[in-house]
């Protein structure tokens, strides 16, 4: 039942030896890790392989914050060649540090992502995500260059510049957040530019995006899109991606082990069940992760992919443990709303959830969506949402294109209860 063992078959890497190395490396190099194991009463020297992972303590984002900025690092600072930091949207920034080999390993994983999405050295890859402290821009660039493609590093924002270069350079691949890709797609449509473009692939990540948004971007731009996985603590984006079967995300099991645990109790879940993704790195030098709780919700596929890849798959993320809002005691995830909106004709891909509390009704959930209002639509939407969420919502319609599109992550949950 230990999901960790599922990774051992994927590649020629000796996962047990790599787990032993990671634990020994972390404890030898970092007082924080030594204390972490000591507090849990675990002798790191007793770890023989992946089967021992379930008896090791979890590590969390709070731990990473408490050892800010570099207490988690397991190498001397002179061996670190770069840092990145998370955007800090849900708390204090967390810093992640890389050795030269970590940077190299990341580019290797990322070029594998591009290859999995069918990108080749003749492609021109427009990187429309943030550079700087954020991991995205430099990650996409490093992977595309490793593959041998041409990078067009426009960064985020500036729709006019993006469109100009897409036309002049004839970019074939777009890398963006799904929110920004939607903004670009709608601009291409509004200016009737599609015939002057050479786009064929879109690689989108950093936020969960629903099937409705995917269909709209694909149909407006005439491209095939791929969902890419990553988190700052684990190199950044590029540690997993969809293949052409578009069913789940292949993850690089020669670089890290995935376990799925119950987010409430921390208990390891049987293979195939949905829970929180927990990661242990196998090669990371600068800041190794051991049983790191990502807060991402997914499950491991138990069956091989029809594409024949030796790498295992996790399902598209259904959300994050910290996306969840409780409305009248019921857990509501934005992903559920995505799925429901997808089934309903005439409703757009963007939405917002507003939760407030009033004296008469208690918690009130308002779902704001883009739609062309037609007879029966409101009743249908309320019915579907009530069935799917187990909470009766209020629904507000706004015209298509009126909800905000952003270059980064779009905020969808607004909790007005305080
Ligand atoms: Zn596949």
């Amino acid at each position: 039942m230990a999901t960790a063992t599922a990774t051992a078959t994927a590649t020629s890497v000796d996962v047990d030896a790599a787990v032993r190395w990671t634990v020994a490396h972390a404890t030898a190099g970092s007082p924080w890790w030594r204390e972490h194991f000591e507090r849990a009463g675990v002798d790191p020297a007793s770890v023989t392989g992946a089967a021992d992972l379930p008896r090791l303590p979890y590590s969390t984002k709070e731990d990473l914050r408490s050892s800010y900025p570099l207490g988690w690092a397991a190498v001397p600072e002179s061996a670190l060649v770069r840092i990145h930091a998370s955007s800090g949207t849900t708390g204090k920034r967390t810093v992640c540090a890389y050795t030269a080999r970590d940077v190299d390993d990341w580019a290797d994983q990322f070029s594998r992502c591009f290859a999995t999405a069918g990108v080749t050295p003749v492609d021109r890859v427009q990187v429309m995500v943030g550079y700087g402290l954020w991991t995205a821009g430099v990650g996409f660039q490093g992977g595309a260059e490793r593959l041998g493609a041409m990078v067009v590093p426009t960064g985020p924002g500036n729709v006019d510049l993006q469109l100009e270069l897409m036309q002049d350079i004839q970019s074939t691949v777009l890398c963006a957040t799904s929110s920004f890709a939607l903004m670009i797609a709608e601009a291409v449509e509004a200016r009737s530019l599609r015939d002057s473009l050479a786009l064929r692939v879109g690689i989108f990540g950093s936020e969960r995006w629903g099937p409705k948004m995917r269909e709209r971007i694909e149909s407006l731009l005439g491209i095939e899109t791929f969902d890419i996985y990553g988190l700052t603590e684990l190199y950044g984006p590029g540690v997993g991606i969809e293949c052409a079967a578009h069913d789940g995300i292949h993850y690089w099991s020669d670089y890290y082990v995935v376990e799925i645990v119950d987010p409430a109790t921390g208990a390891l879940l049987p293979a195939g069940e949905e829970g929180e993704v927990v990661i242990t790195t196998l090669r990371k030098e600068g800041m190794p992760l051991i049983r790191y709780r990502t807060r991402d919700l997914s499950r491991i596929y138990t069956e091989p992919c029809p594409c024949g890849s030796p790498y295992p798959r996790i399902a598209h993320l259904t959300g994050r443990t910290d996306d969840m809002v409780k409305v009248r005691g019921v857990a509501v995830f934005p992903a559920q709303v995505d799925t429901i909106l997808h089934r309903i004709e005439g409703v757009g891909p963007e939405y917002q959830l507003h939760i407030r509390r009033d004296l008469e009704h208690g918690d009130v959930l308002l779902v704001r969506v883009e739609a062309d209002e037609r007879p029966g639509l409101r009743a249908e939407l309320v019915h579907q949402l009530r069935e799917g969420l187990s909470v009766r919502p209020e629904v507000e319609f706004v015209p298509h294109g009126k909800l905000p599109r952003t270059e980064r992550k779009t905020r969808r949950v607004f909790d007005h209860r305080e």
Side-chain angles (χ1 to χ4, degrees), residues 151-395:
V151 173
V152 186
T154 45
N158 202 339
V159 171
D160 290 337
L161 171 78
Q162 304 289 0
L163 297 174
E164 181 187 327
L165 283 158
M166 281 158 61
Q167 289 177 284
D168 294 352
I169 308 292
Q170 291 287 289
S171 303
T172 55
V173 180
L174 292 187
C175 307
T177 61
S178 51
S179 308
F180 191 56
L182 178 62
M183 198 189 285
I184 290 288
E186 289 176 344
V188 166
E189 186 197 31
R191 301 179 201 186
S192 307
L193 294 179
R194 185 163 151 188
D195 291 344
S196 66
L197 303 177
L199 297 175
R200 59 178 203 86
V201 168
I203 299 177
F204 307 138
S206 97
E207 58 183 352
R208 216 181 29 68
W209 38 307
K212 197 133 203 163
M213 187 177 238
R214 162 170 267 178
E215 270 170 24
R216 181 148 171 84
I217 295 168
E218 289 189 343
S219 69
L220 288 179
L221 292 177
I223 59 176
E224 182 176 7
T225 63
F226 295 84
D227 192 9
I228 193 163
Y229 180 60
L231 59 159
T232 305
E233 303 91 308
L234 180 66
Y235 302 96
V239 294
I241 195 168
E242 251 175 46
C243 66
H246 300 289
D247 183 7
I249 290 174
H250 286 285
Y251 68 89
W252 311 136
S253 52
D254 46 348
Y255 282 98
Y256 58 100
V257 171
V258 172
E259 298 171 272
I260 302 291
V261 308
D262 182 325
T265 66
L268 187 65
L269 293 173
E273 278 191 25
E274 181 176 296
E276 182 176 354
V277 175
V278 169
I279 281 172
T280 298
T281 54
L282 297 175
R283 281 173 62 86
K284 207 157 179 269
E285 293 179 331
M287 283 195 171
L289 303 180
I290 300 167
R291 299 204 90 202
Y292 182 74
R293 295 185 66 154
T294 63
R295 304 182 183 182
D296 290 329
L297 295 170
S298 185
R299 64 185 169 84
I300 296 180
Y301 281 60
T302 50
E303 64 281 12
C305 185
C307 79
S309 165
Y311 296 103
R313 283 178 295 166
I314 54 173
H316 291 280
L317 303 188
T318 47
R320 290 178 56 79
T321 55
D322 41 42
D323 280 344
M324 186 196 77
V325 280
K326 285 224 167 170
V327 180
R328 281 175 234 157
V330 177
V332 172
F333 287 97
Q336 296 172 295
V337 177
D338 266 345
T339 309
I340 294 161
L341 296 184
H342 180 60
R343 294 199 295 259
I344 300 177
E345 190 76 20
V347 173
E350 279 292 355
Y351 61 91
Q352 292 180 343
L353 308 182
H354 292 266
I355 304 105
R356 63 173 205 278
R357 182 167 286 153
D358 80 36
L359 287 174
E360 195 184 339
H361 303 99
D363 293 341
V364 177
L365 171 66
L366 170 73
V367 180
R368 187 174 288 159
V369 293
E370 296 179 345
D372 300 318
E373 203 164 352
R374 58 174 163 80
L377 178 60
R378 181 178 299 272
E380 183 186 354
L381 193 52
V382 168
H383 172 76
Q384 295 272 352
L385 288 165
R386 189 180 54 195
E387 292 288 302
L389 304 178
S390 306
V391 173
R392 185 187 167 85
E394 293 178 357
V395 167

Side-chain angles (χ1 to χ4, degrees), residues 94-134:
T94 50
V95 168
C96 293
Y98 302 69
T99 66
R101 190 178 89 174
D102 293 337
V103 169
D104 191 63
D105 283 349
W106 185 21
D108 176 60
Q109 294 172 75
F110 220 132
S111 71
R112 209 185 274 173
C113 287
F114 278 114
T116 303
V119 178
T120 74
V122 301
D123 277 299
R124 297 170 178 201
V125 180
Q126 193 157 324
V127 180
M128 311 194 304
V129 294
Y131 281 78
L133 272 181
W134 211 31

